[in-house]
Amino acid sequence: MSTSSNYTRTAVVLHWILAALLLGQIAFGWFLEEVPRGTPDRTIYVNLHKSTGMTLGVLILFRLYWRLTHPAPALPLSMASWERTGARISHWVLYACMLIMPLSGYIASNFSKWGVNFFNTFKMPPWGVENQAVYDFLNATHVFTSYVFVTVIVLHVLAAIRHLFLRDGIFARMWFPAEAGSAAREPDASTARR
Ligand code: HEM
Ligand code: HEM
């Protein structure tokens, strides 16, 4: 069984850095929709969005690796079973969206004639053939997943705020332990049901 009721420090740091960066990336995506197509500005901003998105993709892969090797602390039995199920499902939907967003964007780029010009310093020519149907499908996946992602993020944040007010310790699990030496430090990777 887990000896800790907290996430590891690394998981906490990754959660908050990625939360901030992902919200910024989503806002960037919405801003992109305002930039007229076929203009030089569009090329600049789309390439920047692709570059930041791929950088996020690498961070997300690391986060997923960390999560798979460091199980989450078990949720308290004081929570109703539907709440625990809801938390588990929504967390995995968030991970799925975190993966699908950069992957669909990156793969789509390889079925267009543009590929990715990584931060304007490193050209990555497309490895796929130019194929509008495949591009459209992957692009639609990117846009559709962004709606699912935003919806689940809103529910997630509302649930987190509820726990903050309930003061049931759930919010604190995703923060640093108050005192050094408390039981809530880096747990070992072997434990916790979830
Ligand atoms: C975590 C990573 C990413 C997030 C959260 C994200 C988010 C978004 C969002 C919210 C939009 C606007 C969707 C809409 O309402 O129409 C968008 C558009 C777009 N994204 Fe991403 N994106 C990510 C990564 C990428 C990557 C890696 C690429 C390509 C390499 C990419 C390429 C694009 C393109 C080309 C558009 C414009 C689509 C269009 O208007 O046809 N994105 N993205
Ligand atoms: C883009 C935004 C966000 C994403 C993608 C995200 C994603 C996640 C994921 C996947 C988990 C589960 C961690 C795991 O089991 O490995 C989690 C947990 C958590 N998140 Fe977020 N999060 C975001 C923003 C926020 C915000 C803004 C808050 C606070 C208002 C928040 C509060 C929490 C808390 C308290 C937990 C711990 C829940 C528990 O103990 O089971 N998150 N988040």
Side-chain angles (χ1 to χ4, degrees), residues 22 25-26 29-30 32-33 37 42 46 49-50 53-54 56 60 101-102 105-106 109 116 135 139 142-143 146-147:
L22 280 166
Q25 180 74 4
I26 291 167
W30 288 341
L32 266 191
E33 300 312 304
R37 288 170 199 268
R42 175 89 188 170
V46 167
H49 177 85
K50 289 179 175 183
M54 285 175 60
L56 275 176
I60 288 163
M101 287 309 295
Y106 171 66
S109 301
V116 179
Y135 176 84
N139 193 40
H142 195 70
V143 174
S146 75
Y147 296 138

Side-chain angles (χ1 to χ4, degrees), residues 31-164:
F31 163 77
L32 266 191
E33 300 312 304
E34 306 301 315
V35 182
R37 288 170 199 268
T39 60
D41 271 2
R42 175 89 188 170
T43 311
I44 293 169
Y45 288 124
V46 167
N47 254 314
L48 190 56
H49 177 85
K50 289 179 175 183
S51 307
T52 51
M54 285 175 60
T55 309
L56 275 176
V58 174
L59 254 181
I60 288 163
L61 283 180
F62 180 66
R63 179 169 183 198
L64 200 60
Y65 157 79
W66 191 264
R67 175 60 166 83
L68 294 173
T69 53
H70 298 74
L75 284 163
L77 292 172
S78 56
M79 274 170 76
S81 95
W82 69 264
E83 279 183 295
R84 281 181 278 135
T85 307
R88 250 192 314 267
I89 293 173
S90 60
H91 290 168
W92 284 111
V93 173
L94 286 169
Y95 278 119
C97 292
M98 280 191 265
L99 265 185
I100 293 170
M101 287 309 295
L103 265 185
S104 56
Y106 171 66
I107 301 174
S109 301
N110 285 285
F111 288 91
S112 75
K113 58 173 176 284
W114 291 292
V116 179
N117 189 355
F118 194 68
F119 288 112
N120 238 356
T121 53
F122 178 52
K123 268 200 191 312
M124 302 163 83
W127 42 253
V129 290
E130 198 182 333
N131 185 321
Q132 193 62 37
V134 175
Y135 176 84
D136 286 347
F137 171 74
L138 290 163
N139 193 40
T141 304
H142 195 70
V143 174
F144 174 76
T145 307
S146 75
Y147 296 138
V148 177
F149 199 17
V150 170
T151 307
V152 183
I153 289 172
V154 170
L155 295 175
H156 177 70
V157 171
L158 289 176
I161 292 171
R162 179 172 164 263
H163 285 293
L164 187 63

Side-chain angles (χ1 to χ4, degrees), residues 167-181:
R167 292 171 159 272
D168 59 1
I170 293 296
F171 198 94
R173 288 150 51 100
M174 201 36 110
W175 198 248
F176 305 99
E179 281 175 43

